[in-house]
Amino acid sequence: MKQLLLLSAFLMSTCAFAQAPKGKATVGTGYGQKMDEKGAMPGAELYLMVAGGDTAFVKIKTKVLTSCASEGCWLTFFVNDSISAIAKMKDHAFFVPLDIQGKTVVMDGKAYMKTTSVKELKHLAEDAKKPQKDIDAITKPKKQIVYITNGVLVV
């Protein structure tokens, strides 16, 4: 029992101190599950796959709009001119470099629609280091595409 408690404490402390990878997000660099570009569809097609409430398991190629400025644990990406989505790293098993914003990436994972609470939206805005006035302006939940990714490849 003691060993289990010690193992649990070690794992929790490891997660608590996790950081974004060192270095820059350069073409060909991958994070999480290894993959290639083959079979990746444009991110713009994602909305049609999940708009009706379905879950889609799909590999996409898209442009990163923003990311967590603290540790690289999430990113937002382009779907179309009026829609963006948020990608979260599956089980927080990996992070992406903080300079990934603006890069084109391939991701493999699961997408679905979700109504994100005001509390979570404010937390994400804080992670992105948005100005306090922008955080205070968040007053309503937002329906958005959530993408749980197994890996990210900069292309």
Side-chain angles (χ1 to χ4, degrees), residues 125-144:
E126 289 168 357
D127 277 357
K129 302 196 183 212
K130 299 269 184 176
Q132 189 61 45
K133 67 180 178 89
D134 292 354
I135 297 168
D136 293 341
I138 300 170
T139 60
K140 294 181 182 174
K142 177 181 176 184
K143 190 167 186 170
Q144 66 183 153

Side-chain angles (χ1 to χ4, degrees), residues 115-153:
T115 301
T116 306
S117 71
V118 170
K119 181 179 178 181
E120 185 174 353
L121 290 169
K122 286 185 178 213
H123 173 76
L124 293 169
E126 289 168 357
D127 277 357
K129 302 196 183 212
K130 299 269 184 176
Q132 189 61 45
K133 67 180 178 89
D134 292 354
I135 297 168
D136 293 341
I138 300 170
T139 60
K140 294 181 182 174
K142 177 181 176 184
K143 190 167 186 170
Q144 66 183 153
I145 299 171
V146 175
Y147 189 85
I148 307 299
T149 184
N150 300 312
V152 176
L153 173 66

Side-chain angles (χ1 to χ4, degrees), residues 47-100:
Y47 179 75
L48 296 174
M49 299 176 81
V50 299
D54 295 328
T55 297
F57 294 87
V58 62
K59 184 190 287 188
I60 61 169
K61 183 177 182 178
T62 188
K63 183 177 181 180
V64 176
L65 300 173
T66 61
S67 67
C68 173
S70 300
E71 59 188 5
C73 61
W74 57 263
L75 56 87
T76 62
F77 62 92
F78 179 83
V79 175
N80 64 37
D81 289 337
S82 62
I83 298 172
S84 62
I86 185 165
K88 297 181 179 184
M89 311 322 161
K90 185 176 181 190
D91 299 329
H92 271 70
F94 65 96
F95 300 109
V96 294
L98 301 181
D99 75 335
I100 200 162

